[in-house]
Amino acid sequence: MKINKKTALLSIAFFILIGLTGCWSAHELSELAIATGLGIDKTEDGYRISVQFVNPGEIAAKKASSGVPISVHTAEGRSMLEAVRKLTTTAPRRVYLAHVRVIIFGEELAKEGLRKPLDFLSRDHEMRADFVIAIAKGLKAEDVIKVIAPMEKVSANKIFTSIETSEKNWAPTKIVLLDELIESLVSDGKEPVITGVYLTGNSELGGNIKNIQQVNTPTKIKSDYLAVFKGDKLIDWLDESESKGFNYITDNITSTVGFIECEGGGTLTIETIRSKTKLEGAIENEKPKIKIYVTAESNIGDVECPIDLSKSKTIKDIEKKFNEKTKDIIMSSVEKAKELGTDIYGFGEAINRSEPKKWEDLKKKWDEEFKNTEVVVKVDLKIRRVGTIAESFQEEEDQ
Amino acid sequence: MRRNMFFKNTKIKKDDWDNVTVKVDAELIPAKISEVLNNIKITMGNSTDLVTRDFKTGKDGSIDIGIAYVDGLADKVFVQDYIIQPLMTDLRMTGLDIEIEKDPNVFEVIKNFNLVSGDLKEIIDLKTLYTHLLSGDTIVLIEGYKKGFAVSSQGWQDRGIQEPTSQTVVRGPKDGFTETLRTNTSLIRRRIKNTDLWIETIPVGNKTQTDVALLYLKDVANPKIVNEVRMRINKIEIDAILESGYIEEMIQDKTFTVFPTIHNTERPDAACAAILEGKIIIMVDGTPFVLIAPAVFVEFFQSSEDYYQRADISSLLRMLRYFCLFLALITPSAYIAVTTFHQEMLPTLLLISLAAQREGVPFPALIEAVMMEVTFEILREAGVRMPRAVGSAISIVGALVLGQAAVEAGIVSATMVIIVSLTAIASFVCPSFNMAISIRILRFVFMILAATFGLFGIIMGLIMMVAHLASLRSFGVPYLSPMAPMVAADQKDVFVRVPIWKMITRPSFISQSDSRRQATPSPKPPNKSTNEGGSQGENK
């Protein structure tokens, strides 16, 4: 049979294309050990990797089972890849990293620098780059990775979702993805921050199935605080209020809660439902200057003091007080960063955007200049709703 | 080379046939009745259903008459009342002898005054005699004349018009074609009362002499396509045609394809719609399935009900069918590709859930999928072929084997059962059975592609399938029209079905002549000023 030229060319093109696809080898689902969490710690001459695998049979089982939903394997190696490959000596199946939800670095390693281990994470083709990065505050990553959490049986997933929800509703945490982290590492005008995770309770007990058999789980994973970096090295932590200030400046607030003191004692809590921050950089009199404009919309959420909300003056007062308070939160966060001498907010980038030419000179001595940068904060918060009751019945009780 | 050889062979055969038939042709009807009747008896091997009779009639019994018909094909009562009765009694009792005295040509007198039948033909040669005899006509012979009559007396038992079983509708006509060609043409004639509806009949099959009829609207159908169809049917040299499938296979454009290039239907309304679009209907005596040519790909996803329900409903259902085409084609292969190559594409929790189900399943996903698909095909085939009485046994076994036991035994995963069921249901959504089978065949090809190359294989398979579809022709009409080549005006009946009053022209890829269908203005609410009185009255 004569093959016509077109058909021949087409089939050649088809077979050449096969070589171009990234995904090559087939792996049956039952041959894979699905890794959900990765903990990276420092050893004397390399890394210690602890991987959290799911135990699919236990997770998806309809009936209550006595087995553990996750299992953790560890391996040590001079390089990341070596350690990962060494895992196969203990892991029952092929290690599959595409579904890693969280990568935790031990504080010790973070202090030494993240640049080296990050290379493998961004180079490996299997990693999906949508995992959240966190720092184990004051302990080893391994300790966090091996804790079993209630409800969310895969604790790596628990860390992911709790960082995500607290970023959205409470504000002192931040989801840092790999791309963003690397970007702020290489950028001159910005330094990275990473959310911290830590344990309450006994880390030994956390890895035991008994941990989730109690109503009040003895060992819990908490995500809080932001780790401040200079370059790729961890230097200090922002506390809750400073972390919130950080999120205000970087326009990372979706919704949060804040309170003010009332005149006659007691507190009034305000729920911010929308917030928008504009960061402007300028150079005035050869000095860098940063202007931060925060506009927010809020509701009054909780009144625990005698106050008459039906008067518009009261609302104005509250707005004013709250503006001041927010400004303080922001300023204290900025002061902390200045003290540490690390530009985590991207002030440098803001100046670069407005004065690109002058930034060229400035960036060499930015670490010093940052400490002397003038920061002006303007907060414009509007109260939109007071909730389902206007006047608080607190007044009546007091009288 | 091969082709030529093939034709050469048939040519030799054809000559042989010609030689045989020429001999029969030449033989004229002898003048003696006994000779003719004997000839018939000998030729037909004294078959038991052959009825011959000779009798004397006329005033003094001077006229010898011979009669022959086939019992079962001819209507006995008709033969008795309208052929034998007039010949035997009327010719003797009434004053016909006067006519005979006037004109000694008895043959003409009987023809003009005696045989009370509307459909009467004179025959002179034996070949025609046999054709008529075997079609149910009654042969009347008169002593001394080298010719005879063929009186139409067909009256065999047939099934009667019933609801079509293969293409059912919720709304729409419930009559279906039957096995009798004449009944079928009448079903079309009753719907299209137009002199332009032409019916051509070509006998096909050297042994069966089956009537094959072409029906088309003279002004609308493309004469080139009509000629092409006629030519291809005339080329057929076969001993027997038992179903329209025989014709379909022998006149299609390309044989090396899984896709049907000729449509078939059991519904007279669908056939009429096709005729009105300029297509040609090929009817074969002995089957309720008529062929529609030319056929394009989208036609196989159109149901006649699409035009009886409102446009919006039909459009939704039309899109659902295309969606189901994809489901039926690639669901199992997509599952194989994603679970063996692209696990990173799945949401983590779904992956864990799938992995949990695959725990303990001993086969790779491909084997698992092929196994379940084959099991389903076996069940389906058994369901079609088995005697009605054992039907429930099969469905019980099927449900248990496919549904529960296989999963519980850990041979297949529960997801795979869902995938296979979904695929099976989706493949039955296609209104045309032969297209559904094509998709079923391709599904296995896609599964193998997915297992070897992942999603890349599926995409390559789809590209090749579309390229192949684009290369197909049905009687010269591109198979993918009106999408490739793109005809903007013909998109009104492809993915959506526009309202009937918007379908102004016939599909141009089939026929360009007399293309305007209607000039109905689009429906509007009544004009306020003219209708004011009426609406006020209603309000009161």
Side-chain angles (χ1 to χ4, degrees):
Chain A
M1 202 174 102
K2 198 187 137 207
I3 300 170
N4 89 40
K5 210 175 159 189
K6 238 194 223 168
T7 324
L9 276 175
L10 265 174
S11 32
I12 289 170
F14 175 79
F15 283 109
I16 288 173
L17 272 172
I18 289 170
L20 293 178
T21 54
C23 24
W24 179 239
S25 317
H27 298 287
E28 290 295 331
L29 279 183
S30 42
E31 295 166 4
L32 299 179
I34 302 164
T36 49
L38 205 58
I40 303 163
D41 287 305
K42 181 180 117 65
T43 58
E44 279 186 12
D45 53 352
Y47 307 100
R48 180 180 173 83
I49 285 187
S50 30
V51 182
Q52 186 186 95
F53 296 110
V54 287
N55 212 339
E58 297 296 330
I59 303 270
K62 289 276 175 296
K63 294 162 204 152
S65 61
S66 51
V68 282
I70 51 174
S71 63
V72 172
H73 292 261
T74 54
E76 285 176 17
R78 279 174 183 279
S79 70
M80 289 281 292
L81 184 59
E82 192 191 336
V84 168
R85 284 296 158 91
K86 267 191 186 171
L87 275 175
T88 48
T89 55
T90 55
R93 294 170 182 172
R94 183 181 178 276
V95 179
Y96 187 63
L97 294 175
H99 280 273
V100 166
R101 305 291 283 158
V102 59
I103 292 187
I104 299 173
F105 291 100
E107 185 165 353
E108 217 177 312
L109 177 65
K111 279 180 176 158
E112 206 167 81
L114 293 182
R115 224 176 270 268
K116 285 174 190 165
L118 280 178
D119 183 86
F120 167 76
L121 299 181
S122 65
R123 193 180 296 278
D124 190 61
H125 71 275
E126 218 172 71
M127 297 296 239
R128 219 162 53 164
D130 67 341
F131 47 81
V132 66
I133 296 168
I135 306 287
K137 186 172 186 294
L139 69 167
K140 282 186 169 176
E142 190 185 342
D143 296 333
V144 182
I145 282 291
K146 71 181 185 194
V147 170
I148 306 178
M151 302 244 274
E152 193 73 76
K153 283 181 179 171
V154 183
S155 58
N157 211 28
K158 186 258 161 208
I159 298 171
F160 183 92
T161 48
S162 78
I163 293 176
E164 193 182 31
T165 44
S166 85
E167 182 190 23
K168 276 185 187 150
N169 299 313
W170 178 231
T173 57
K174 179 176 164 60
I175 286 195
V176 180
L177 300 182
L178 185 66
D179 294 347
E180 193 187 338
L181 178 62
I182 291 172
E183 195 192 306
S184 48
L185 270 179
V186 297
S187 164
D188 293 317
K190 198 179 177 196
E191 302 292 342
V193 292
I194 300 177
T195 300
V197 288
Y198 57 96
L199 297 180
T200 59
N202 185 347
S203 74
E204 283 301 309
L205 190 65
N208 197 318
I209 188 79
K210 281 181 185 149
N211 193 36
I212 53 169
Q213 282 170 343
Q214 292 182 35
V215 176
N216 187 359
T217 319
T219 309
K220 291 193 180 98
I221 305 170
K222 283 189 80 171
S223 52
D224 209 343
Y225 303 101
L226 287 178
V228 180
F229 282 75
K230 191 174 172 89
D232 66 334
K233 293 181 178 62
L234 186 147
I235 49 172
D236 206 352
W237 294 84
L238 297 185
D239 66 19
E240 198 175 285
S241 157
E242 287 158 355
S243 303
K244 202 181 198 177
F246 169 84
N247 276 335
Y248 264 119
I249 298 171
T250 52
D251 192 17
N252 198 31
I253 299 242
T254 317
S255 170
T256 185
V257 166
F259 71 91
I260 52 167
E261 306 275 339
C262 291
E263 275 169 30
T267 57
L268 188 142
T269 313
I270 284 178
E271 174 200 11
T272 301
I273 52 166
R274 217 165 284 133
S275 166
K276 180 86 197 146
T277 309
K278 230 169 99 187
L279 194 65
E280 273 179 15
I283 293 182
E284 284 174 13
N285 308 326
E286 300 300 310
K287 284 269 175 202
K289 189 179 177 182
I290 293 291
K291 296 170 194 163
I292 300 166
Y293 302 105
V294 179
T295 45
E297 283 182 34
S298 308
N299 297 336
I300 290 174
D302 188 359
V303 180
E304 293 177 10
C305 57
I307 193 164
D308 186 7
L309 287 177
S310 57
K311 286 178 189 145
S312 62
K313 190 179 171 296
T314 329
I315 303 287
K316 284 266 180 310
D317 286 346
I318 295 170
E319 281 178 357
K320 205 174 155 194
K321 267 192 188 167
F322 204 80
N323 284 348
E324 286 303 314
K325 174 115 192 215
T326 310
K327 204 169 159 183
D328 289 347
I329 290 175
I330 293 173
M331 283 315 286
S332 72
S333 178
V334 172
E335 287 309 319
K336 176 80 180 249
K338 278 187 178 174
E339 195 183 298
L340 296 170
T342 175
D343 177 14
I344 50 178
Y345 311 105
F347 288 169
E349 280 184 357
I351 292 172
N352 186 10
R353 275 196 297 273
S354 57
E355 305 272 355
K357 278 179 189 156
K358 288 180 183 165
W359 171 249
E360 286 301 312
D361 304 329
L362 197 61
K363 78 176 179 191
K364 286 155 205 153
K365 48 181 179 172
W366 178 240
D367 282 353
E368 281 309 306
E369 286 290 334
F370 171 70
K371 288 178 183 167
N372 305 320
T373 306
E374 192 192 347
V375 178
V376 180
V377 181
K378 208 178 160 209
V379 182
D380 182 17
L381 177 133
K382 289 268 183 294
I383 288 176
R384 297 294 186 201
R385 278 167 286 266
V386 295
T388 49
I389 46 172
E391 269 181 78
S392 171
F393 48 80
Q394 305 283 353
E395 204 172 15
E396 291 158 29
E397 265 178 32
D398 288 341
Q399 275 171 356
Chain B
M1 273 304 270
R2 225 174 173 182
R3 255 175 96 107
N4 286 343
M5 264 171 66
F6 183 68
F7 275 107
K8 226 176 181 174
N9 281 340
T10 51
K11 207 163 188 186
I12 294 165
K13 263 186 186 164
K14 199 183 167 194
D15 288 346
D16 288 348
W17 278 112
D18 284 349
N19 292 336
V20 175
T21 47
V22 163
K23 274 177 202 162
V24 181
D25 262 342
E27 217 168 323
L28 296 173
I29 298 175
K32 267 182 86 74
I33 294 174
S34 56
E35 212 176 298
V36 185
L37 294 182
N38 267 334
N39 189 323
I40 295 174
K41 277 183 198 162
I42 291 162
T43 314
M44 290 183 64
N46 230 345
S47 294
T48 43
D49 58 347
L50 175 73
V51 180
T52 56
R53 165 113 212 258
D54 55 349
F55 51 85
K56 288 189 191 310
T57 185
K59 200 178 180 187
D60 44 6
S62 61
I63 306 165
D64 270 336
I65 297 220
I67 277 177
Y69 63 91
V70 176
D71 191 14
L73 293 183
D75 184 352
K76 259 186 181 169
V77 179
F78 179 89
V79 173
Q80 183 68 37
D81 288 358
Y82 299 102
I83 298 173
I84 298 178
Q85 171 93 9
L87 284 171
M88 280 185 96
T89 57
D90 297 2
L91 211 56
R92 204 187 293 259
M93 317 288 273
T94 56
L96 268 181
D97 46 337
I98 302 161
E99 295 292 336
I100 292 171
E101 269 168 28
K102 268 197 241 164
D103 179 2
N105 191 344
V106 181
F107 191 85
E108 283 301 312
V109 172
I110 287 177
K111 182 185 170 191
N112 290 336
F113 297 101
N114 197 254
L115 282 176
V116 274
S117 168
D119 189 355
L120 183 84
K121 285 192 188 77
E122 272 183 43
I123 44 174
I124 53 164
D125 65 281
L126 281 173
K127 194 198 172 194
T128 333
L129 184 145
Y130 285 118
T131 312
H132 283 288
L133 183 65
L134 294 172
S135 308
D137 292 350
T138 304
I139 308 296
V140 178
L141 300 154
I142 299 157
E143 181 75 33
Y145 291 90
K146 285 192 160 188
K147 49 190 175 179
F149 300 113
V151 185
S152 173
S153 61
Q154 279 123 341
W156 54 77
Q157 292 296 315
D158 60 8
R159 189 164 55 96
I161 296 169
Q162 284 170 352
E163 197 177 333
T165 48
S166 66
Q167 292 156 321
T168 48
V169 291
V170 176
R171 178 176 174 178
K174 304 270 183 194
D175 56 346
F177 286 126
T178 70
E179 281 76 8
T180 317
L181 180 72
R182 212 25 92 216
T183 317
N184 293 351
T185 54
S186 76
L187 285 172
I188 301 279
R189 275 269 188 232
R190 248 167 51 196
R191 284 179 166 82
I192 307 175
K193 301 180 186 72
N194 195 316
T195 50
D196 280 345
L197 174 66
W198 284 12
I199 302 178
E200 285 175 29
T201 308
I202 307 166
V204 184
N206 292 317
K207 291 233 186 287
T208 58
Q209 289 293 314
T210 312
D211 281 335
V212 174
L214 301 187
L215 289 85
Y216 53 90
L217 265 187
K218 187 199 74 180
D219 278 354
V220 178
N222 186 340
K224 269 190 202 159
I225 300 179
V226 176
N227 286 337
E228 182 67 30
V229 173
R230 191 186 298 126
M231 195 195 77
R232 287 189 197 178
I233 291 178
N234 278 330
K235 266 190 190 165
I236 297 174
E237 279 288 333
I238 192 173
D239 58 343
I241 299 287
L242 296 179
E243 215 272 343
S244 51
Y246 284 51
I247 303 276
E248 181 180 342
E249 269 192 51
M250 284 187 288
I251 63 171
Q252 63 191 353
D253 287 53
K254 195 174 178 181
T255 49
F256 195 68
T257 175
V258 292
F259 292 99
T261 48
I262 295 174
H263 199 21
N264 67 61
T265 184
E266 217 184 336
R267 303 184 56 83
D269 55 332
C272 283
I275 289 177
L276 289 165
E277 281 186 351
K279 289 173 191 155
I280 297 147
I281 299 291
I282 303 163
M283 276 183 187
V284 177
D285 196 22
T287 175
F289 289 92
V290 306
L291 305 179
I292 302 173
V296 293
F297 183 70
V298 292
E299 213 176 306
F300 293 90
F301 298 91
Q302 298 168 345
S303 157
S304 52
E305 197 176 346
D306 287 358
Y307 308 93
Y308 309 146
Q309 299 285 4
R310 288 175 24 164
D312 43 5
I313 301 172
S314 309
S315 302
L316 184 76
L317 293 179
R318 190 69 66 78
M319 283 184 268
L320 182 78
R321 276 184 219 132
Y322 287 114
F323 176 66
C324 285
L325 159 70
F326 274 92
L327 276 189
L329 195 60
I330 59 172
T331 319
S333 45
Y335 174 79
I336 294 171
V338 169
T339 54
T340 53
F341 284 89
H342 318 285
Q343 293 97 345
E344 71 277 359
M345 281 178 61
L346 290 168
T348 306
L349 290 181
L350 178 61
L351 179 76
I352 292 171
S353 166
L354 289 180
Q357 288 173 33
R358 298 269 305 140
E359 292 281 292
V361 174
F363 305 110
L366 172 72
I367 304 292
E368 197 189 350
V370 169
M371 208 166 66
M372 285 307 282
E373 288 288 349
V374 169
T375 314
F376 169 72
E377 292 299 318
I378 292 171
L379 271 170
R380 191 193 56 81
E381 186 62 16
V384 175
R385 309 281 162 234
M386 76 202 161
R388 292 269 144 81
V390 295
S392 56
I394 292 284
S395 51
I396 292 168
V397 170
L400 284 180
V401 169
L402 266 178
Q404 242 181 319
V407 177
E408 274 177 22
I411 293 171
V412 293
S413 60
T415 327
M416 189 50 82
V417 176
I418 298 173
I419 300 267
V420 171
S421 330
L422 182 71
T423 317
I425 297 165
S427 76
F428 286 120
V429 168
C430 180
S432 145
F433 185 69
N434 44 358
M435 179 57 86
I437 288 188
S438 315
I439 293 165
R440 215 171 273 153
I441 297 168
L442 285 180
R443 182 194 299 154
F444 286 96
V445 178
F446 273 98
M447 270 153 63
I448 291 165
L449 279 176
T452 24
F453 304 125
L455 280 183
F456 173 77
I458 296 180
I459 296 297
M460 276 297 141
L462 283 176
I463 291 174
M464 282 179 165
M465 190 187 88
V466 171
H468 173 66
L469 281 172
S471 77
L472 288 179
R473 298 282 181 277
S474 176
F475 293 91
V477 175
Y479 196 51
L480 277 187
S481 49
M483 291 157 335
M486 181 81 180
V487 185
D490 293 338
Q491 298 299 316
K492 53 189 184 279
D493 197 17
V494 179
F495 293 108
V496 294
R497 200 275 281 172
V498 300
I500 304 252
W501 45 268
K502 270 273 189 190
M503 291 195 185
I504 296 166
T505 53
R506 289 176 223 286
S508 64
F509 52 90
I510 293 168
S511 164
Q512 283 86 34
S513 50
D514 189 15
S515 61
R516 196 173 175 85
R517 263 189 166 163
Q518 60 171 324
T520 322
S522 62
K524 276 189 192 107
N527 202 329
K528 238 186 180 175
S529 58
T530 55
N531 235 30
E532 214 165 355
S535 62
Q536 265 182 6
E538 272 171 26
N539 286 342
K540 278 170 194 173

